[in-house]
Amino acid sequence: MRRLPVYLLLDTSGSMCGEPIEAVKNGVQVMISSLRQNPQAQETAFLSIITFDSSAKQIIPLTDLGSFQMVDIKASGTTALGEALKLVSNCIDNEVAKTTSETKGDWKPLVFIMTDGNPTDDWQNGLTELKKRKIAFTVACAAGSGADTNILKQITDNVVSLDTADSQSISKFFAWVTASIGVSSTKIEDCGKEVVGLNELPPPPSELNIVV
């Protein structure tokens, strides 16, 4: 079976403390239960969560929806986005099956990044690593006014922003990610094709602005 790997890179720096981090935890839970209701996603989508604060950690390796168990996350420290980009590159190398002459490997991974601030480490270095990997698409979300969309635009063309990092906005972002994973898995199951850009995804809710 060819899996659809989905990597969520979540900012857990100190500025996410309180309502934002609770909203992220809740958003992930709601996302998993919604995806479990979707037969195509249930069949193909595998999720991994990487958090980044003063360092980056893969807190959940690539896991099928049935076995996925969210772990508790706390907000503290700085914003090592560069380290998170390096880490997801290594995880893709280790977890995503490559196509060989005998077998078709997994589908190209989807990467969703959510941050409320600016990277405090060498993010260009991490980006150089990520660009060497084959990815279907990367979406970066700037949550609130503290995140620099210009930096995110250098990481990916697909940038969305939330005016505030409150629970309502963050839950809308996760609902949209859920719908996007659903559409991607349906397209793979029905047409054997990957989604490659924002224009193929469900339209974002009004809280989510597309950064052009």
Side-chain angles (χ1 to χ4, degrees):
M1 189 196 77
R2 302 180 70 187
R3 304 176 303 170
L4 173 65
V6 180
Y7 288 92
L8 293 179
L9 277 57
L10 303 175
D11 186 338
T12 50
S13 60
S15 53
M16 289 288 289
C17 203
E19 187 182 357
I21 200 83
E22 291 307 319
V24 166
K25 287 194 270 198
N26 190 41
V28 171
Q29 296 288 21
V30 172
M31 179 173 79
I32 295 299
S33 35
S34 309
L35 288 171
R36 282 176 179 157
Q37 314 294 316
N38 174 329
Q40 278 102 345
Q42 179 79 336
E43 191 68 28
T44 53
F46 279 64
L47 249 77
S48 166
I49 293 190
I50 288 173
T51 57
F52 56 98
D53 37 63
S54 302
S55 64
K57 294 182 270 309
Q58 186 184 35
I59 58 167
I60 298 177
L62 208 54
T63 304
D64 66 276
L65 295 173
S67 325
F68 188 96
Q69 289 280 319
M70 187 53 181
V71 297
D72 195 33
I73 50 177
K74 305 260 190 295
S76 68
T78 54
T79 313
L81 177 57
E83 200 181 313
L85 296 175
K86 258 190 198 146
L87 179 55
V88 73
S89 307
N90 292 339
C91 294
I92 289 170
D93 289 349
N94 297 329
E95 294 177 328
V96 178
K98 294 182 176 49
T99 296
T100 64
S101 51
E102 285 83 55
T103 56
K104 281 210 173 285
D106 291 328
W107 297 97
K108 286 187 206 133
L110 316 181
V111 177
F112 293 94
I113 302 166
M114 182 180 155
T115 180
D116 75 334
N118 292 329
T120 48
D121 65 347
D122 183 354
W123 60 271
Q124 280 105 336
N125 239 344
L127 179 59
T128 304
E129 282 308 304
L130 189 63
K131 287 198 159 150
K132 295 177 191 163
R133 310 309 188 270
K134 288 195 166 76
I135 290 166
F137 65 85
T138 301
V139 173
C141 174
S145 55
D148 185 346
T149 51
N150 293 326
I151 291 179
L152 297 178
K153 277 302 258 194
Q154 293 173 64
I155 295 172
T156 173
D157 292 334
N158 307 315
V159 177
V160 293
S161 69
L162 297 168
D163 294 336
T164 52
D166 61 9
S167 54
Q168 190 190 348
S169 302
I170 289 174
S171 69
K172 285 287 200 297
F173 170 69
F174 278 101
W176 179 71
V177 170
T178 306
S180 300
I181 296 169
V183 164
S184 301
S185 52
T186 302
K187 190 165 180 192
I188 282 168
E189 293 275 312
D190 293 352
C191 322
K193 286 204 173 75
E194 288 161 323
V195 168
V196 289
L198 274 183
N199 56 337
E200 296 179 51
L201 296 178
S206 56
E207 289 81 352
L208 213 53
N209 317 300
I210 292 182
V211 179
V212 288

